[in-house]
Amino acid sequence: MTLRVLFAFLFALTSAGVAWAGGADSLKLAVCQANFDRFAAAYPQERVYLHFDNTSYYKGERIWYKAYVVGGSDFRAAPLSRILYVELLNPMGYPVETQKLPLRGGQADGSFELSDTINAGFYEVRAYTAWMLNFTPGDSHGWSRLRSRDSRIHYGERFQRYLNGNAGVFSRVFPIYEPVDSCRYSVRRMLRQPKATSALARTAGDGLHVDFYPEGGNFVSGVPTRIAFQARTEAGRTLNVAGALMRGGDSIGCFKTDYAGRGMFSATADADSADLLVSGLELKLAYGGRDYRFPLPKARRRGYSLAVFPSAKGLRISVARNARTEGMVLGLSVTCRGQTGYAGVVDLRSSLGTVLSVDTALLRTGVNVVTLYTSAGRVVAQRMAFVNKHDMAGCRLRVAVRGDSAGVLPYAPVTLDCTVAPVGGRGLPDSLTFSLAVTDADSREATYDTGNVLTYLLLSSEIKGFVPHPAYYFEADDAEHRSALDLLMMVQGWTRYDFELMMSGDSLCPMPMAERSLVFRGRVLDDGGWRDRTLWKPVGGKKLWVFSEMVLSPDSIFSGECRVGSDGVFTLSFPPFFGSGRLSLALNRDSAGGDKGDIAGHNYPKRRNRRPGHLLGRHVEPLNQWSPLPKDYGYYETAALADPWDENIFGRVFMATTGRPGKYVAYDSLSGSYVMAGIDKVRRRRWTNFLDARPVCVADIDGLMAWLSGIFGDIQPFRWNQYRGLGGLECRSVNSNSFSAPFYSGLYELLYIFGLDGTHRAFVNGLSPDRGYRAVVGSAGNLPEGYRFFPHDENFRLLRIYADNDNRRLAYSPGRFGERVSAYRRIRLPEHGSSMPKENDHPVTSIFDFITDGRYADGSSLPEFMGYRINFAGFNRPVEFYCPDYSHAPLPEHTDCRRTVYWNPNVVVGRDRRATLHFHNNGFSRRLAVSAEGITPAGTMVVGE
């Protein structure tokens, strides 16, 4: 940045609530702030919100949704992306279905069919654009071995990026129940899978934990610091508690939680004991019949503290240091959704503290991030505070049902009158659209997710973790609600913006670009003969062409070619189409033509010395969207709202007592059983016949390999890398001591991602290819009696995964068996000092059963395609909601048991601000619940009342 531009920037900031002092440090701080604003403008973030028709579902129903994609700063229609991804993830975290939707005005709608073949459980719907994957890492995978040097060498940095997760994507968890008969929706069942657990399992239920959160992130010795805390069980259930603040065994004060198990107190660490726990400072409380003591976090010998006091007038900000800390000139900024409201200088070279105020007029409604940073752009302290100027509720939507207020009759016509009214005198566009769902009120399950588009965009999407009852924080703007909201900021405060990167002046190197049409981007890499992925290099500067063939059906094939750029990147564009195709890519030295001009011309013998040199050591890294790491479920995302223990937890009435809690039964996700409080003794349950159990996950092989290729950055085909016959013939098995599993390093990566360690077995069509078979040479006549050819790789169609765990909790905890997956051995070799063989050290925790078809004849020798094949999805074909008209048709023979009576993702309101909707009731509902909301392309939120 030139000096002239910097002075112009300083002048602009001064008029926008920015105060800079003179001196070199101030100029460096101004450059950091300018870099932040430049980065935010150059790389705008996006938000996604989904409105659903219901709060829970049964197998056989559909999940209907309306999607809104907006800019992260002003909530206007998405400025970059034109394609949205919506995924339905099973409890393990594998995408049951991924939908790709075109965005029009930042909006799209769709639905997921919940087939009878899926398992009941807690499913996650998440939505994101490819551009969003460049921002906001979330909670990392819990296995340390995946972070090791060997893992980085073997899998590369792309996989490490995947392991970081992504907290910026939209996510909603729904219970999916077993189907019921005769509209008996009061019955809610989830059948659990067989387990292979230890005889004694410790539950994740009742152990008490207290988490401490020093304000601003720093607890500095000698500086009074406010410390927020939250009491919870090991499973994440929050507890309202009361107790004493102790020092050296003596009580020096009392404390209690205010809301949802959160509280706050002020403490000062002695300057002489900063290397120790704070001179015996600890919290003491009684819970579950025993006393707990929690020492305060360790104080820092040097550092800066940051305290923020929100009020209706603005923010009062206090910055302090101790005498040990060198005084510096620091920058202080207040930003909201990437936009700077205030920026200035804090000079503590000659003082130990200062206080400043930021007027509300300079701030924006929402989560404001107060950041203290150095002239090098390093964040020293950070604190989130919520500001509510009551200017974001654009309009209110009132929906009234005509007719008898006592209820509606089965199959009767229903009329809804919708009226949109602006809030605060704000104007409305000539027309706007919103989504509206009408469901059976009696079967609509109450949940902790009581939010809407307003609470999500302003609050839930700006802090970390799930927020139970987000609507509570917007019920009133009084002292009680402001205090609860500020505690939430201190406990779950987090920012999706990487301040240090944004202040550094560096540019973002996006991996997936913002998608505006159907394109496939890839990068050609040369491994140079190395297995270390960190040594793979792009083929930049080399003359290379990519020929592509997209097969949608035998009668619909797209083909084309493009030249590889100097950076190894190529881009293929496709016209819009519905469904999914099989994309084949082939590398050529020149433009396609002659015998090697099509895909069939790229089949080569399996012998390596017969292949062209320009194909050896080449890899194609897909640069499109990948499916982010599945998040761990929060306790309140899967807890029933009717749980008696939680009935009053979000209030001031309930307190934990010294006695044993009342008897209750809850499902414990760690042990996989319904447990009482304390230690649960679980009978050892082993596999009897896995074919009689339900798989926890069923994956199409081609879809699975595409999913893994996106995660690891290398398009790979499915290969069964062992049990090979000779001469191109393959029999049932090969007598080998090495464990034989599919290619892609034995698909162990799939087990690692799911957190499944222990002993693993593999089957093909329900048959075990473990030991006792031989390779044969020659024709089928040489096969021994009872033997058959092993299926071709191309014949593998499905993978059924059986596991002793059917949720994703294990991926966020250390491995149960050393984070290692061992092959099943019926008999192990004797160990030193032992004369008897022994079974596996660990129980069988996972089973792969591969299902094949007969597409290619047994024993036939197939040429190998020297290219790359991957599934490529087009747009999902829209499905129209079926709403029967019973006024001109006879009543159905069987009761109409649709719980969603009416769904309209695009209700249009004209200049008169009214809309009238007509439909017929189902065959059993007497009371109807209406849910309606939306957001206009201009960023005006429509919230139903």
Side-chain angles (χ1 to χ4, degrees), residues 391-396 421-428 454 939-943:
D391 57 352
M392 294 303 295
C395 53
R396 293 290 180 181
V423 176
R426 301 183 63 178
L428 291 178
L454 177 71
T940 302
M941 299 185 194
V942 182
V943 181

Side-chain angles (χ1 to χ4, degrees), residues 399-404 408 412-418 438 915-921 928 930:
V399 181
V401 180
R402 290 186 191 175
D404 188 358
V408 295
V414 180
T415 299
L416 296 185
D417 293 320
C418 306
V438 181
T916 302
L917 306 174
H918 305 278
F919 56 91
H920 280 76
N921 190 18
L928 299 178
V930 179

Side-chain angles (χ1 to χ4, degrees), residues 237 448 635-636 639-649 662-667:
R237 184 198 301 260
Y448 289 95
Y635 173 82
Y636 289 103
L641 186 62
D643 192 324
W645 196 352
D646 285 326
E647 185 176 356
N648 295 312
I649 194 64
K663 292 184 178 181
Y664 65 94
V665 179
Y667 178 73

Side-chain angles (χ1 to χ4, degrees), residues 208 239-242 257 285-288 645 649 653-659 661:
L208 180 63
L239 301 171
N240 281 339
V241 297
T257 53
L285 56 89
Y287 166 72
W645 196 352
I649 194 64
V653 179
F654 180 82
M655 286 289 173
T657 63
T658 57

Side-chain angles (χ1 to χ4, degrees), residues 552-834:
L552 303 180
S553 68
D555 300 327
S556 181
I557 300 177
F558 302 144
S559 61
E561 67 172 350
C562 65
R563 190 166 184 173
V564 178
S566 59
D567 55 355
V569 176
F570 63 91
T571 302
L572 301 168
S573 299
F574 301 98
F577 66 89
F578 293 116
S580 180
R582 188 69 170 161
L583 176 62
S584 298
L585 304 173
L587 301 180
N588 296 321
R589 286 198 181 97
D590 300 300
S591 177
D595 295 336
K596 302 300 181 185
D598 58 5
I599 293 301
H602 291 81
N603 292 328
Y604 293 90
K606 294 187 177 182
R607 287 175 290 177
R608 185 179 178 88
N609 58 4
R610 295 289 301 275
R611 303 174 185 177
H614 73 279
L615 300 179
L616 300 180
R618 295 291 192 266
H619 302 263
V620 173
E621 176 187 11
L623 299 181
N624 282 39
Q625 151 270 353
W626 66 84
S627 183
L629 178 72
K631 72 169 187 178
D632 190 15
Y633 289 162
Y635 173 82
Y636 289 103
E637 290 181 285
T638 59
L641 186 62
D643 192 324
W645 196 352
D646 285 326
E647 185 176 356
N648 295 312
I649 194 64
F650 292 91
R652 300 173 178 272
V653 179
F654 180 82
M655 286 289 173
T657 63
T658 57
R660 183 179 179 84
K663 292 184 178 181
Y664 65 94
V665 179
Y667 178 73
D668 174 51
S669 57
L670 185 63
S671 65
S673 58
Y674 286 87
V675 300
M676 297 291 289
I679 301 297
D680 177 39
K681 294 184 178 180
V682 182
R683 291 184 302 170
R684 183 182 295 271
R685 291 171 288 174
R686 295 188 178 278
W687 296 104
T688 53
N689 183 352
F690 77 91
L691 293 177
D692 295 334
R694 289 186 179 183
V696 298
C697 183
V698 178
D700 172 78
I701 291 294
D702 290 340
L704 174 66
M705 299 312 296
W707 181 64
L708 291 173
S709 296
I711 291 173
F712 293 97
D714 188 15
I715 298 179
Q716 290 281 2
F718 174 83
R719 290 285 186 267
W720 188 280
N721 66 340
Q722 298 287 342
Y723 307 141
R724 290 289 181 187
L726 302 178
L729 297 179
E730 302 166 335
C731 70
R732 182 70 180 83
S733 182
V734 175
N735 188 2
S736 172
N737 289 327
S738 62
F739 174 57
S740 299
F743 193 69
Y744 231 109
S745 301
L747 274 182
Y748 282 158
E749 289 87 348
L750 192 57
L751 299 174
Y752 295 157
I753 292 173
F754 290 161
L756 294 172
D757 53 0
T759 301
H760 173 73
R761 296 195 69 176
F763 291 80
V764 178
N765 297 319
L767 301 176
S768 173
D770 283 324
R771 298 174 61 89
Y773 298 96
R774 298 170 297 167
V776 297
V777 180
S779 65
N782 294 340
L783 282 174
E785 183 178 357
Y787 280 61
R788 62 181 179 181
F789 283 102
F790 195 75
H792 286 293
D793 293 333
E794 289 80 2
N795 285 349
F796 283 75
R797 306 309 304 151
L798 292 177
L799 170 60
R800 294 172 178 166
I801 301 176
Y802 301 83
D804 70 339
N805 182 71
D806 61 354
N807 60 66
R808 60 192 70 180
R809 178 64 53 84
L810 294 179
Y812 286 89
S813 59
R816 299 168 296 175
F817 305 108
E819 300 181 1
R820 295 185 179 276
V821 179
S822 58
Y824 175 81
R825 297 287 186 272
R826 189 184 303 269
I827 297 295
R828 295 191 61 195
L829 296 176
E831 297 182 352
H832 293 292
S834 174

